[in-house]
C-alpha cells in the first residue's frame, strides 16, 4: 500500500481529481464503467452531496467486473488508488 495523503477529505478529493489509469486489452482489467461509477459515488460522498458518509469499509468492499479482450482499467493501478483512499479515510476517522 502506498503512503496515505494526510490532507483529509480535501486531499482525497484532489487525489481523485488527478486519478488516471492505464488501459488494458490483452490482460484482464476492471470494467471501466464500474470503476467510473464507483469513483463518482466516492466524490459525491466525500463532498457531502450524497449520504451516508464514505467509510474505509465502503472502499474495501468495492468490487468491479473484469473484462478481457476489451478496454479495461489496469487492476493494480485502480487497487493502489483505492488503497490510498481507504488509508486516508482510516486516518481521518
Amino acid at each position: 500500500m502506498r503512503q496515505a495523503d494526510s490532507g483529509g477529505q480535501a486531499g482525497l478529493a484532489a487525489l481523485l481529481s488527478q486519478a488516471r489509469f492505464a488501459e488494458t486489452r490483452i490482460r484482464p482489467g476492471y470494467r471501466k464503467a464500474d470503476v467510473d461509477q464507483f469513483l463518482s459515488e466516492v466524490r459525491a460522498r466525500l463532498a457531502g452531496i450524497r449520504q451516508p458518509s464514505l467509510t474505509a469499509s465502503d472502499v474495501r468492499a468495492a468490487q468491479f467486473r473484469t473484462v478481457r479482450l476489451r478496454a479495461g482499467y489496469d487492476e493494480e493501478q485502480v487497487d493502489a488508488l483505492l488503497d490510498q483512499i481507504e488509508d486516508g479515510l482510516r486516518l481521518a476517522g
Side-chain angles (χ1 to χ4, degrees):
M1 270 186 224
R2 293 185 184 172
Q3 186 82 342
D5 182 5
S6 61
Q9 288 192 355
L12 292 175
L15 182 68
L16 281 167
S17 71
Q18 298 170 10
R20 302 290 181 271
F21 308 111
E23 287 189 2
T24 63
R25 288 194 187 272
I26 302 299
R27 60 189 167 93
Y30 289 138
R31 186 172 178 259
K32 293 168 68 172
D34 291 353
V35 174
D36 291 341
Q37 180 179 359
F38 180 74
L39 293 181
S40 177
E41 179 71 17
V42 168
R43 285 183 197 94
R45 289 172 69 183
L46 282 174
I49 296 169
R50 292 199 191 116
Q51 295 295 325
S53 297
L54 185 69
T55 67
S57 296
D58 296 330
V59 177
R60 173 61 57 191
Q63 294 184 351
F64 310 110
R65 290 176 280 190
T66 301
V67 295
R68 298 175 194 275
L69 301 176
R70 291 189 329 200
Y73 288 139
D74 182 279
E75 293 177 3
E76 289 180 8
Q77 291 178 1
V78 173
D79 290 344
L81 175 66
L82 295 181
D83 287 345
Q84 287 183 285
I85 295 169
E86 182 183 358
D87 289 347
L89 289 169
R90 284 194 200 288
L91 287 173

